């Protein structure tokens, strides 16, 4: 029996909503933005799922999520040039009052330290580290999600790890000097 489109979308949401939320949270540093972008990712996936023919849905969904994040980042860059935009978006009524139970898990100190360090990395380094270390993506999945060659994946991942280690070392030295 052929799986209906709605059943397929429900399955995708159940399997990938949480990992996508965590990815987007790590990228944006904001729970509310991560929630919004997760919803936006699934809206875009709903629209284009019938056109999507490849087998690796996970990598495709992370690619959609990354593009949603980059679009949001570009919008925020434009908004920063609008007078009073910062004031409007900082008001409580402009943010979601609902938290997620998963937020408690995110508050573990070790994860926060890594997240803090990752926030200092360029977007591509954060994406590739998150996909490899937190989502256990293979090199080929990262290749597809980030539109990179296999060699670029390996080189970028190496550089991202090296930069993260350098940041950790600098932070440790600051605390102990």
């Amino acid at each position: 029996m052929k799986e209906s489109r709605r059943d397929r979308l429900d399955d995708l949401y159940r399997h990938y909503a949480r990992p996508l939320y965590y990815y987007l949270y790590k990228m944006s540093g904001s729970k509310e933005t991560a929630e919004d972008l997760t919803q936006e990712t699934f809206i875009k996936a709903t629209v284009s799922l019938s056109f999507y023919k490849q087998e690796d849905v996970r990598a495709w969904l992370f690619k959609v999520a990354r593009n949603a994040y980059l679009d949001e980042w570009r919008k925020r860059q434009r908004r920063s040039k609008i007078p009073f935009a910062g004031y409007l978006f900082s008001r409580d009524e402009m943010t979601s009052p609902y938290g997620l139970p998963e937020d408690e898990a995110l508050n573990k100190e070790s994860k926060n330290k890594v997240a803090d360090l990752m926030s200092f990395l360029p977007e591509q380094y954060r994406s590739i580290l998150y996909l490899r270390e937190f989502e256990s993506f293979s090199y080929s999945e990262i290749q597809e999600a980030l539109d990179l060659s296999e060699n670029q994946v390996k080189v970028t991942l190496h550089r991202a790890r090296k930069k993260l280690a350098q940041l950790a070392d600098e932070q440790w030295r600051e605390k102990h000097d």
Side-chain angles (χ1 to χ4, degrees), residues 29-66:
S30 163
K31 295 171 189 171
E32 294 81 16
T33 301
E35 288 174 18
D36 292 344
L37 292 176
T38 302
Q39 286 180 342
E40 189 174 325
T41 299
F42 279 99
I43 290 169
K44 288 179 178 178
T46 302
V47 171
S48 57
L49 185 62
S50 60
F51 302 109
Y52 187 72
K53 305 289 184 215
Q54 295 184 7
E55 293 296 318
D56 194 352
V57 174
R58 184 171 79 146
W60 175 69
L61 281 172
F62 274 84
K63 184 176 184 175
V64 172
R66 179 175 183 245

Side-chain angles (χ1 to χ4, degrees), residues 39-142:
Q39 286 180 342
E40 189 174 325
T41 299
F42 279 99
I43 290 169
K44 288 179 178 178
T46 302
V47 171
S48 57
L49 185 62
S50 60
F51 302 109
Y52 187 72
K53 305 289 184 215
Q54 295 184 7
E55 293 296 318
D56 194 352
V57 174
R58 184 171 79 146
W60 175 69
L61 281 172
F62 274 84
K63 184 176 184 175
V64 172
R66 179 175 183 245
N67 288 336
Y69 166 74
L70 291 173
D71 288 345
E72 178 64 24
W73 185 80
R74 286 185 202 108
K75 285 179 198 171
R76 288 179 185 226
Q77 291 295 319
R78 278 183 255 137
R79 275 189 223 140
S80 68
K81 296 174 183 165
I82 300 171
F84 307 112
Y87 168 74
L88 289 174
F89 291 107
S90 67
R91 296 182 56 125
D92 287 342
E93 60 265 20
M94 298 298 285
T95 59
S96 172
Y98 306 106
L100 294 175
E102 295 86 7
D103 292 346
E104 292 300 318
L106 289 174
N107 289 330
K108 292 181 182 174
E109 191 168 331
S110 62
K111 287 186 177 183
N112 287 340
K113 287 180 182 177
V114 173
D116 287 345
L117 286 176
M118 286 179 64
S119 71
F120 293 105
L121 296 174
E123 181 277 327
Q124 191 173 36
Y125 284 4
R126 281 185 282 145
S127 281
I128 202 164
L129 277 173
Y130 184 82
L131 295 177
R132 181 69 178 172
E133 305 302 335
F134 291 93
E135 293 297 326
S136 302
F137 269 43
S138 68
Y139 288 142
S140 63
E141 289 173 320
I142 293 171

